[in-house]
Amino acid sequence: MATLLFPDFLDHPESYDAAEALWKARFDALAAKYQFAYAPYINLFARNGDKLREGNPIFSAEVKTLNRAVRIIQEVVEQPEDFFISAWLDTFPIDEDNALNELVIPLVLSEETLEIAGRLIVHWLVEQRSKEEMERVLEAELALLG
C-alpha cells in the first residue's frame, strides 16, 4: 500500500503549499548536488495575483542551459490504495521560435512515486538521456509498477 503524501492538497491551501515546497526542496538539493540552475517556466498565478492551486503543474523547473524542463502534475487520490505515476516527453512552446523539451510526470504523490519521479528526473536532467533512451527508461521504470 502506498504511503500517500498530502492527499487533501486541493482542499487545503496549506497542504498544497507543503507539497509544492517538497518538490522545490527536492529540486534545490538536486541543483546543488549537480551544480545547475533552474527556474519555474509555468505561471502559477491568476491575473488578479491569486495563486492557482490546481495541481497542473504543482511544480515546474526549466534548466535553460540544457533546454530541458520538468513539469510535475499532482493528481487527486481517488482510492485510498492509489499508486499512480506516469511520464512522457513533450515540448512546451516558450515563444514562436523556441520549444522547451519537457519531461511531464503526472502522479498521485506518495513516498513511492516521489522516489520514482526523482529517478526519472535524474535520467532526464543530470544524465541528459536522449529521447529514445528516455523512452526506454520510462518503460522500464513504469513496468516496475506491475
Side-chain angles (χ1 to χ4, degrees):
M1 180 181 211
T3 305
L4 298 176
L5 304 173
F6 314 108
D8 60 349
F9 77 105
L10 286 182
D11 297 324
H12 302 285
E14 62 278 1
S15 286
Y16 191 98
D17 293 346
E20 186 178 45
L22 174 69
W23 286 108
K24 183 175 182 332
R26 286 286 176 123
F27 265 81
D28 287 348
L30 194 66
K33 181 176 182 178
Y34 295 103
Q35 300 180 334
F36 65 81
Y38 74 91
Y41 64 101
I42 298 176
N43 181 18
L44 298 179
F45 293 89
R47 288 184 182 209
N48 67 3
D50 289 347
K51 186 174 185 177
L52 301 173
R53 290 184 173 91
E54 300 168 354
N56 184 7
I58 195 157
F59 184 83
S60 70
E62 174 188 8
V63 179
K64 286 187 185 281
T65 57
L66 301 176
N67 191 42
R68 289 186 179 207
V70 175
R71 176 169 34 129
I72 306 294
I73 303 169
Q74 189 164 327
E75 304 272 342
V76 175
V77 175
E78 294 185 13
Q79 300 293 323
E81 65 278 354
D82 269 354
F83 183 89
F84 170 77
I85 185 169
S86 186
W88 62 83
L89 298 176
D90 204 352
T91 56
F92 186 87
I94 297 297
D95 57 44
E96 288 182 19
D97 299 322
N98 297 306
L100 182 62
N101 296 306
E102 177 185 55
L103 172 63
V104 181
I105 305 173
L107 51 70
V108 169
L109 187 58
S110 68
E111 290 177 0
E112 295 83 358
T113 58
L114 183 63
E115 293 306 313
I116 293 168
R119 289 194 302 270
L120 294 174
I121 292 163
V122 167
H123 287 300
W124 180 239
L125 293 180
V126 176
E127 298 172 0
Q128 299 180 42
R129 301 279 184 118
S130 70
K131 182 176 180 179
E132 294 77 21
E133 290 172 323
M134 277 305 292
E135 288 172 359
R136 287 192 293 276
V137 166
L138 294 171
E139 186 177 314
E141 283 286 347
L142 300 178
L144 295 175
L145 300 176

